[in-house]
Amino acid sequence: TRVDDVPAPAPPGTKETFTVTNLPGGQRYYFAIKSNDFEGNTSALSNVISQMSELTPKLVITPLEITVDLKTAERSTRTFLIHNDGKGTLEFSIEPLSGNPSFASVNIAEGSIPPDGKKTIKVNFDAAGKRTGTYRQDVVINTNDPLKNRAIVKLVMKVDDNGVRIASATPETIN
């Protein structure tokens, strides 16, 4: 199989390296070089080297969206699952949650999951101080999965008025 996007050669005598990425793990690969000169002549095949690729993880997340319906000031916890469906250890980190205004938090910031392992992530939703409306936030997960090194779990919180008055005033008492 031909490898594309090979950089232009360096001046003669310069040591060069090139990394081939996104190869399935746990397989032996063979590499050799052919080159063309300015006249269009193609060289013979170079010496052949072989290398076994590392076992790779495979990220699977379920669900990819979590929606909760809360009343003002209510709290709730939901979960999502990070599963490693690959043959290598999955390393992950969760970016600090952001949003304006922020309404959720997670219980784990980073971790490792062995092959065929799972980790449950708790998401805490908090509607305290939130007005009626729909709020959105993303959980961004970075991993060492070579084919899916970043994933997003979408969080949606729908807040409805709980019917409790926060304050009241009468015209006679306002100056």
Side-chain angles (χ1 to χ4, degrees), residues 19-153:
T19 303
V20 179
T21 59
N22 295 327
L23 298 173
Q27 297 182 22
R28 180 162 298 281
Y29 291 91
Y30 298 87
F31 298 92
I33 296 175
K34 280 187 169 184
S35 61
N36 294 325
D37 65 16
F38 294 111
E39 301 293 324
N41 301 310
T42 301
S43 71
L45 191 64
S46 71
N47 56 322
V48 178
I49 60 167
S50 69
Q51 180 69 41
M52 182 73 84
S53 61
E54 292 184 26
L55 296 174
T56 56
K58 182 179 179 188
L59 174 67
V60 178
I61 297 178
T62 54
L64 291 173
E65 183 171 306
I66 301 171
T67 301
V68 296
D69 294 306
L70 299 175
K71 301 275 188 201
T72 301
E74 285 184 332
R75 292 185 173 129
S76 183
T77 300
R78 299 290 191 275
T79 62
F80 67 90
L81 192 68
I82 299 176
H83 181 253
N84 180 7
D85 201 26
K87 296 180 180 176
T89 300
L90 177 71
E91 305 288 339
F92 73 91
S93 63
I94 298 175
E95 293 182 9
L97 298 184
S98 61
N100 190 15
S102 180
F103 61 83
S105 62
V106 294
N107 67 325
I108 296 174
E110 60 186 33
S112 298
I113 303 173
D116 205 30
K118 303 172 186 175
K119 189 154 302 229
T120 300
I121 308 297
K122 290 182 183 177
V123 181
N124 301 307
F125 292 85
D126 188 352
K130 302 296 186 275
R131 296 181 180 263
T132 298
T134 301
Y135 298 82
R136 299 178 189 283
Q137 208 168 334
D138 290 340
V139 177
V140 179
I141 304 156
N142 298 302
T143 76
N144 64 331
D145 178 338
L147 300 178
K148 191 173 191 178
N149 61 4
R150 185 177 174 103
I152 294 175
V153 175

